Amino acid sequence: MEDTHIDESVHDAPAVSGAPAEAGGELHALDDPNVYHWICQLTYGPHKEQAMLELGRKREQFDDLALVIWTSFGVMTSLLNEIIGVYPMLQPNYLSNQLSNRVCNALVLLQCVASHPETKHQFLQAHIPLFLFPFLNTTSRQRTFEYLRLTSLGVIGALVKNDSQEVISFLLRTDIIPLCLRIMESSSELSKTVAIFILQKILLDDIGLQYICATLERFYAVSNVLKHMIDQLTAQTPPGRLLKHIIRCYLRLSDNLEARRLLKIVLPDKLRDDTFTEVLKDDVNTKRCLAQLLLTLNEEPSQQTVPQHLAAQQQAAQ
């Protein structure tokens, strides 16, 4: 499964390129005097905003930067203060671009901690993802709010990326599914892509699939949003990664017997006909997923959609 690229979420920050590893050894964050300086500034100094930006630029350069951020005295408290401090501004005309930028830079460092295998567990145990939910719960379409939502989704995306059941179990005890569904309906395309990536990761876990298919209300909440997204896509508007994730969500839902029965009724016609044939012609994996979905639902896939090995299976079955 592809990585979700959420670096675009920090609007004015330059692109970060990872530094090459030292020959015969690893780069350590605290061997860089600049890292030590910015860590100190983040906690004690007057240049906290610049410190968050500079450390964010170095997150791909040092594999152990997450450990430094997590274990350095006062750093996580400082980052959480940045997040909590903006809560009163979460209304239109109060959240400035500069303030949104500043909080996004703090969130990028949280994403660094959330993605590291040695800090992820403690990150969850401290319930730090819950601090992001006020940002995910906003509905304003202003860019300042979109950036906050996108960067917050990036933190959650980093948590779910490596298929941890601990992460999924934690998220199922929160409102992450309805929040992702709302973002999938109404936010920017990039936010929609990260939100559906998170939903897909939840579905791929057996506990997540069972949770979503446990009640008709949950199943229809998910399937209705997926259908709405399909309705918004057309052959003339390239759907990018969204279509791929939508099809894979449907395919995973079909692994549940009751959901499979309902999908025979609610699956969008655009996935049954040739609407996306041209769009998918060079995407073999997604084309295969769509063909497998239709075969699972005992429907006749378009011959342009069926990969050769699935077509052979279909002919043998007949």
Side-chain angles (χ1 to χ4, degrees):
M1 181 144 331
E2 297 78 16
D3 192 359
T4 49
H5 302 284
I6 54 254
D7 293 341
E8 298 98 318
S9 59
V10 186
H11 18 135
D12 296 327
V16 179
S17 58
E22 284 184 343
E26 295 180 355
L27 289 169
H28 296 288
L30 289 181
D31 290 339
D32 185 332
N34 290 323
V35 171
Y36 182 79
H37 169 72
W38 292 122
I39 287 287
C40 292
Q41 285 290 323
L42 189 55
T43 310
Y44 304 109
H47 303 297
K48 186 175 178 180
E49 184 173 0
Q50 185 68 15
M52 291 188 293
L53 178 61
E54 296 296 337
L55 288 170
R57 287 170 171 165
K58 292 183 177 292
R59 70 191 184 282
E60 292 182 2
Q61 185 175 345
F62 300 107
D63 289 340
D64 64 339
L65 182 59
L67 291 167
V68 172
I69 292 171
W70 182 259
T71 58
S72 296
F73 178 79
V75 169
M76 288 301 299
T77 301
S78 180
L79 293 176
L80 291 178
N81 283 339
E82 288 289 326
I83 290 169
I84 295 169
V86 81
Y87 288 168
M89 307 298 177
L90 293 180
Q91 48 187 310
N93 304 322
Y94 280 82
L95 184 64
S96 67
N97 190 67
Q98 180 182 0
L99 186 56
S100 174
N101 238 355
R102 179 173 176 134
V103 178
C104 283
N105 287 326
L107 291 169
V108 163
L109 296 181
L110 290 190
Q111 181 186 331
C112 177
V113 176
S115 63
H116 196 283
E118 294 185 47
T119 52
K120 176 182 291 189
H121 175 73
Q122 293 95 322
F123 190 83
L124 280 179
Q125 289 294 104
H127 289 191
I128 291 176
L130 299 181
F131 287 93
L132 312 183
F133 280 53
F135 302 146
L136 297 176
N137 203 34
T138 59
T139 56
S140 172
R141 298 298 300 272
Q142 293 179 7
R143 288 178 59 196
T144 50
F145 287 90
E146 283 284 357
Y147 287 132
L148 277 181
R149 281 195 296 271
L150 178 59
T151 320
S152 299
L153 285 169
V155 179
I156 306 298
L159 281 172
V160 302
K161 181 182 172 185
N162 294 319
D163 303 319
S164 166
Q165 193 170 85
E166 177 193 15
V167 173
I168 301 303
S169 297
F170 174 88
L171 291 176
L172 290 178
R173 297 193 297 269
T174 72
D175 291 332
I176 191 62
I177 292 177
L179 289 173
C180 281
L181 291 176
R182 187 168 68 189
I183 290 169
M184 286 159 55
E185 277 197 294
S186 60
S187 284
S188 67
E189 182 175 346
L190 195 51
S191 291
K192 288 181 179 181
T193 303
V194 184
I196 196 172
F197 171 82
I198 294 168
L199 176 67
Q200 182 183 338
K201 283 293 189 178
I202 292 173
L203 280 169
L204 286 173
D205 185 272
D206 288 341
I207 294 176
L209 177 64
Q210 182 180 3
Y211 177 87
I212 288 175
C213 296
T215 68
L216 286 176
E217 181 182 12
R218 292 176 192 165
F219 170 82
Y220 279 118
V222 172
S223 63
N224 287 342
V225 171
L226 293 176
K227 183 179 185 303
H228 180 68
M229 294 177 76
I230 286 290
D231 289 341
Q232 291 179 323
L233 300 177
T234 66
Q236 288 73 38
T237 307
R241 290 180 290 175
L242 275 178
L243 180 60
K244 169 180 63 180
H245 289 304
I246 293 169
I247 290 172
R248 291 183 180 186
C249 283
Y250 273 125
L251 180 59
R252 178 55 174 161
L253 283 171
S254 72
D255 288 338
N256 180 276
L257 291 178
E258 180 62 18
R260 186 185 306 171
R261 182 183 68 81
L262 295 171
L263 284 176
K264 292 180 181 182
I265 302 170
V266 303
L267 190 73
D269 290 337
K270 286 184 179 180
L271 292 180
R272 292 181 158 109
D273 58 27
D274 295 328
T275 299
F276 298 115
T277 298
E278 187 67 21
V279 173
L280 295 176
K281 68 177 182 180
D282 297 321
D283 190 342
V284 176
N285 289 332
T286 303
K287 192 157 52 173
R288 182 183 296 118
C289 287
L290 177 56
Q292 186 62 60
L293 170 64
L294 295 176
L295 287 170
T296 300
L297 300 182
N298 297 319
E299 297 192 13
E300 187 79 15
S302 162
Q303 289 306 308
Q304 299 181 55
T305 305
V306 184
Q308 288 184 351
H309 76 284
L310 289 178
Q313 291 177 15
Q314 189 178 19
Q315 290 175 358
Q318 295 172 347

